[in-house]
Amino acid sequence: MARHGGRGWYGRVVAAAVGVTAVAAATSVWTAQAGPAGGNQAAAKPAAPKAAPVSAGIVHASDGGDHAVNITIDDGPDPNWTPQVLQVLRDNGVKATFCMVGPQAEAHPDLVKQVVAAGHRLCDHSVSHDTTMDKKPQSYQSEQIVTAERQITKASGGVRPLYYRAPGGAFTPYSRHLAASHGMRPLGWNVDSKDFERPGTEAIVATVQRELPNGPTLLFHDAGGDRSQTVAALRTVLPWLKQQGYSFGFPVR
């Protein structure tokens, strides 16, 4: 999503939780480095297999080819709006990529599982939705990305996010390479529908139609406030895209 300033709408809610998580993560790292207490290595669980690294370049292209688009949905899951977005996608036979905020996924694992079961893909959208992440230390960026990855994977029942989208596009070379080393391709966008600003359904549709020549990856939201305009816009945009001869794909991995 486009930058909206500061930590974004999740920042104040989860800031304290991030601090606690950071301490827990640091303790976990120290314990792993120190080894099991008393040499009881038989009691230690084997680490989960690490995802294969992918390119650290920010992707916009679609795996559906030159006349395909990628529908991407940010900031959820949300118990009110995500089911409605899922229904519109189902009605139109469209698969999308859901860029989830870690605590939201943790709070609504049933929705994360519904997204996966419907054949959509998952994307890590950080813990705090901090649009100034690119101005923060690498340790902070790592905490935001890795913790959200873990939260989303757990909520999904073990399905890892395949992409990482920095809040507001606040990528850094470090964050891109860190995400890629965890098997998450950095994901950009070409068409910002501006639905976050709730300009009206017709304005959202017009923005998509006007900006579509910019490229194949379209940005919408299913959380962060009243998303009724987004749901209504998708009901118009998805059939319109089909009428224009577009197919639907996923961002290239």
Side-chain angles (χ1 to χ4, degrees), residues 6-23 75-77 100-108 125-131 133 136 140 143-145 147-148 151 167:
R7 282 181 174 243
W9 65 281
Y10 283 100
R12 291 184 294 276
V13 177
V14 300
V18 170
V20 173
T21 305
V23 173
D75 294 1
M100 296 185 174
V101 174
Q104 289 293 106
E106 193 170 53
H108 306 290
H125 201 35
S126 85
V127 171
S128 301
H129 200 278
D130 184 351
T131 59
M133 276 181 62
K136 302 294 177 60
Y140 176 85
E143 164 66 18
Q144 288 283 314
I145 295 167
T147 300
Q151 291 170 324

Side-chain angles (χ1 to χ4, degrees), residues 85-96:
V85 170
L86 285 171
Q87 184 62 55
V88 176
L89 293 170
R90 183 162 47 249
D91 291 344
N92 287 275
V94 172
K95 306 302 182 186

Side-chain angles (χ1 to χ4, degrees), residues 40-88:
N40 184 19
Q41 296 184 9
K45 292 183 178 181
K50 188 176 180 181
V54 293
S55 169
I58 299 174
V59 65
H60 300 87
S62 176
D63 65 7
D66 292 338
H67 210 59
V69 295
N70 307 317
I71 303 298
T72 65
I73 314 290
D74 281 19
D75 294 1
D78 178 274
N80 186 24
W81 304 112
T82 302
Q84 294 186 50
V85 170
L86 285 171
Q87 184 62 55
V88 176

Side-chain angles (χ1 to χ4, degrees), residues 158-188:
V159 179
R160 296 175 183 268
L162 297 180
Y163 309 93
Y164 166 65
R165 173 173 277 167
F171 288 103
T172 65
Y174 173 80
S175 69
R176 290 191 293 104
H177 283 88
L178 174 65
S181 74
H182 283 247
M184 298 184 293
R185 183 76 187 265
L187 175 58

Side-chain angles (χ1 to χ4, degrees), residues 103-129:
Q104 289 293 106
E106 193 170 53
H108 306 290
D110 55 328
L111 292 177
V112 183
K113 291 180 175 69
Q114 287 180 37
V115 167
V116 171
H120 306 294
R121 289 187 178 179
L122 301 176
C123 170
D124 178 337
H125 201 35
S126 85
V127 171
S128 301
H129 200 278

